[in-house]
Amino acid sequence: MKKRLLFGIVLAGFAMGLGAASQIWPTHSRAERIAELFYGICLAPLLTGDSPDTLLSGLFQKPDKSWIDTQSGSFLRLEDSRCTISTSAPYALSYEDAAELLELTRTFVARDFPQLALDPKAKMGDEALSKGWFLGAPQSPERWGIFHVAYPDWGDSAGSSLIFMAPPAPA
């Protein structure tokens, strides 16, 4: 068999393998990855009782109840009644990724938390992509919900946060 023909066959097989792999193991956008982590770690324990341990085991754990996800370039922080996934410069979300994450957030809020109301005052200025869905009066212990904010065009101060503030425990 001629080397040129063999090289062509190997190259075609490699290209077909890459194409098949992209269908079998599609890559997620940063927004999709952050939404997946947020849902699985912050929301699923409340909604379904599922443990976030499997997702957390794939992250780099720091000693202070925080984790780093190298796949999305984000930081996760778990507290007793709050879960936050954030990014910061130089790994801040682009405007497009931030808008995609906001849309993904809207989707699971509408699907899983229809009782939460959009709070028009949950804004961080005109330059930021921000929305918040809450129940309870502002500054009250009964207030809980989901808040998304991204400020991709702030240079060295660029960043984003997706925050879940858990509902108060039943008395």
Side-chain angles (χ1 to χ4, degrees):
M1 187 178 281
K2 292 185 177 186
K3 288 182 183 179
R4 200 179 282 181
L5 179 61
L6 182 60
F7 179 74
I9 291 171
V10 169
L11 188 61
F14 181 71
M16 287 179 12
L18 283 177
S22 71
Q23 296 303 309
I24 295 169
W25 302 292
T27 57
H28 295 296
S29 69
R30 287 183 72 198
E32 290 170 328
R33 174 66 176 171
I34 291 170
E36 173 188 39
L37 291 173
F38 187 74
Y39 191 87
I41 295 171
C42 301
L43 304 180
L46 176 72
L47 294 169
T48 63
D50 290 348
S51 170
D53 292 344
T54 303
L55 283 171
L56 287 172
S57 69
L59 307 180
F60 175 74
Q61 185 172 6
K62 294 172 59 181
D64 62 350
K65 284 189 163 183
S66 66
W67 289 261
I68 299 170
D69 178 40
T70 56
Q71 194 175 346
S72 66
S74 63
F75 300 93
L76 170 86
R77 180 152 188 86
L78 285 173
E79 300 172 51
D80 291 338
S81 62
R82 181 180 289 226
C83 181
T84 304
I85 297 181
S86 59
T87 65
S88 58
Y91 304 106
L93 294 176
S94 66
Y95 185 88
E96 293 77 19
D97 283 338
E100 181 183 359
L101 182 57
L102 178 58
E103 189 55 39
L104 292 167
T105 304
R106 280 184 189 146
T107 300
F108 56 71
V109 167
R111 180 189 66 217
D112 298 315
F113 295 99
Q115 71 272 36
L116 296 179
L118 180 65
D119 183 347
K121 294 181 181 178
K123 286 190 71 159
M124 294 280 297
D126 295 332
E127 297 175 16
L129 291 168
S130 57
K131 296 264 187 249
W133 298 266
F134 298 99
L135 269 182
Q139 307 300 322
S140 75
E142 292 82 30
R143 187 163 176 90
W144 69 278
I146 296 172
F147 182 64
H148 170 281
V149 62
Y151 32 95
D153 301 324
W154 289 14
D156 289 343
S157 298
S160 66
S161 290
L162 186 54
I163 304 165
F164 174 63
M165 292 159 283

